[in-house]
Amino acid sequence: MKISKIILYDEPTVPEIQLKRLEKYISDTFSVKTETRSNFFQNSNQNMYEKIAGTRIFDLKKPFKTHVPSTDEIQIETQNLDMSNKKEMTLYDGFEFQKITSEFISTDENNQNTLHVIFTNKLTCTFDENDFRYHARALIGSNPTIISTTGIIEAPAKPKQYYLDLMTDFTKEKIDEIKEKYKGEFLEYNDSRTSEIIEGYVLQAIMYYETGEGFCENKECRLYNAHWQKDLFYSQLENKKLCSKHQEEFKKLTNQV
């Protein structure tokens, strides 16, 4: 493996991440030195806060455009406020966000041998040229890797009938009623299943960085890019296996062949 060390950065608003469990999982799976650290965005500087505030998305149907952030937008970043699970969530361009964070990794650790995995509750999105609109993403690959805990919840779609039921009434009472009706069928904030699912995303991040290959198209593989919550549950909680192709790649990476 080209990776000799992995650094995991915590997102304290999401205790389900369980960094120490992840650290053990990586060490046991890849035999790579792993270190856990506090939140990447804490105790940073004004320059970084301004740049991150500048990665906000304001029009879902247009590619990213740089803008000068307002004082309020910068203040939100400075205070590291949790903006997830809000009625109107703040969206960030995932690639711009990843690029900015890369600039603030120290020179001695900004190398291809050290993979940085940054957890954040910020909702990262990427612009899709196929339908010309932004989509929420759980994982922005490369180094550093960005794993959006909000993206894990919001990106994969809920059951179709859930959205059809919502179309009849958008009052808070009705939304709560429908959420209760479909409870368990999709991931929610502070969901105990989050920890195990995050483990799968970390596996995807490492395999992507090592092989350069994107997500697997096979639902029977833990590297599958789930677009539906039910598929996410299957690949990460029920099946938890790699397809034959990626199992072979995994063996090569870990010198098991």
Side-chain angles (χ1 to χ4, degrees):
M1 291 179 65
K2 63 183 177 186
I3 301 171
S4 58
K5 182 179 180 181
I6 296 176
I7 302 176
L8 304 169
Y9 297 86
D10 196 16
E11 174 46 78
T13 64
V14 187
E16 293 80 16
I17 292 174
Q18 297 184 28
L19 277 196
K20 286 300 176 185
R21 172 181 163 165
L22 271 179
E23 182 181 17
K24 184 176 186 309
Y25 168 72
I26 294 170
S27 299
D28 292 346
T29 306
F30 293 98
S31 299
V32 172
K33 182 181 179 183
T34 309
E35 180 181 332
T36 62
R37 293 186 182 174
S38 58
N39 184 259
F40 186 84
F41 308 100
Q42 284 178 340
N43 305 317
S44 191
N45 58 48
Q46 192 69 8
N47 184 26
M48 181 180 183
Y49 295 135
E50 287 183 15
K51 286 192 171 185
I52 288 178
T55 68
R56 285 183 170 215
I57 301 165
F58 294 95
D59 189 338
L60 286 174
K61 295 183 179 179
K62 289 182 179 177
F64 179 72
K65 266 183 87 172
T66 304
H67 82 287
V68 178
S70 67
T71 303
D72 287 346
E73 290 166 0
I74 297 170
Q75 187 68 14
I76 288 173
E77 302 304 336
T78 305
Q79 296 174 345
N80 201 31
L81 295 178
D82 181 7
M83 302 301 287
S84 61
N85 203 17
K86 304 290 183 188
K87 190 174 181 181
E88 292 185 11
M89 279 186 277
T90 303
L91 310 179
Y92 299 82
D93 183 283
F95 293 132
E96 292 294 321
F97 187 87
Q98 190 269 343
K99 189 168 66 178
I100 297 300
T101 55
S102 176
E103 295 176 11
F104 291 88
I105 292 173
S106 64
T107 305
D108 60 324
E109 290 186 335
N110 202 347
N111 56 68
Q112 66 173 2
N113 301 324
T114 305
L115 177 64
H116 301 261
V117 180
I118 299 172
F119 292 100
T120 177
N121 56 29
K122 300 178 196 302
L123 183 54
T124 49
C125 307
T126 61
F127 191 79
D128 192 332
E129 298 284 349
N130 293 313
D131 61 2
F132 292 96
R133 61 177 291 118
Y134 271 101
H135 294 273
R137 306 295 184 199
L139 174 67
I140 306 294
S142 193
N143 193 11
T145 288
I146 307 296
I147 297 181
S148 167
T149 52
T150 306
I152 293 172
I153 295 167
E154 303 293 344
K158 298 176 177 63
K160 283 182 183 176
Q161 192 59 44
Y162 171 88
Y163 298 107
L164 292 174
D165 287 356
L166 268 184
M167 290 173 69
T168 61
D169 191 343
F170 287 99
T171 61
K172 184 180 183 306
E173 291 74 20
K174 188 65 179 178
I175 292 172
D176 290 343
E177 179 189 320
I178 294 172
K179 278 187 174 179
E180 188 62 30
K181 178 181 176 182
Y182 292 97
K183 195 171 184 61
E185 295 186 38
F186 53 83
L187 204 63
E188 298 184 77
Y189 292 94
N190 302 119
D191 196 310
S192 61
R193 296 170 292 186
T194 306
S195 173
E196 207 165 349
I197 288 174
I198 280 177
E199 188 179 279
Y201 277 106
V202 170
L203 177 65
Q204 291 177 1
I206 296 171
M207 292 292 284
Y208 174 70
Y209 187 66
E210 284 288 342
T211 66
E213 285 189 31
F215 296 105
C216 185
E217 297 297 322
N218 186 346
K219 287 185 181 179
E220 301 298 322
C221 183
R222 209 176 186 194
L223 305 185
Y224 181 67
N225 183 19
H227 295 293
W228 293 90
Q229 290 276 340
K230 64 180 176 62
D231 293 336
L232 181 71
F233 289 165
Y234 179 73
S235 60
Q236 303 303 331
L237 301 178
E238 297 173 37
N239 188 45
K240 294 184 68 172
K241 297 176 184 173
L242 294 173
C243 64
S244 55
K245 174 191 169 187
H246 286 110
Q247 185 61 39
E248 286 304 309
E249 290 184 357
F250 173 80
K251 287 180 179 177
K252 289 176 185 174
L253 282 177
T254 54
N255 298 316
Q256 295 181 25
V257 291

